[in-house]
Amino acid sequence: MKRITSVAVLTMMMLLSGCSSSYVMSTKDGHMIMTDGKPEIDKDTGLVKYTDQAGNEMQINGDEVSSIIER
């Protein structure tokens, strides 16, 4: 019975982790920023808003970003 419960919990965790995509943003100075979910570009301010892997909401100037790639 424990084995079935463990398999069910593991399956649920894998399904839930598949719901959000990770992205990698590279900056013009060579840094790689891993995000949790898709970054949003604010057209009015030029800022790129994203959630880092620790769950913190962050912003970066869009002029500093050279690419955003889904992982």
Side-chain angles (χ1 to χ4, degrees):
M1 187 66 156
K2 278 188 170 184
R3 182 178 174 111
I4 293 172
T5 305
S6 298
V7 170
V9 169
L10 182 61
T11 302
M12 292 284 287
M13 288 175 49
M14 290 175 63
L15 289 173
L16 290 174
S17 69
C19 292
S20 65
S21 298
S22 296
Y23 285 76
V24 178
M25 290 192 306
S26 62
T27 62
K28 293 182 179 175
D29 63 356
H31 288 91
M32 300 297 236
I33 302 170
M34 308 295 263
T35 70
D36 185 26
K38 186 174 183 177
E40 297 177 16
I41 302 169
D42 187 339
K43 301 277 187 201
D44 295 331
T45 62
L47 295 173
V48 177
K49 298 177 184 179
Y50 65 95
T51 304
D52 67 10
Q53 300 228 308
N56 301 313
E57 291 187 21
M58 309 291 285
Q59 295 181 348
I60 187 172
N61 189 334
D63 292 337
E64 296 177 25
V65 178
S66 62
S67 67
I68 301 173
I69 301 169
E70 186 174 9
R71 221 175 90 170

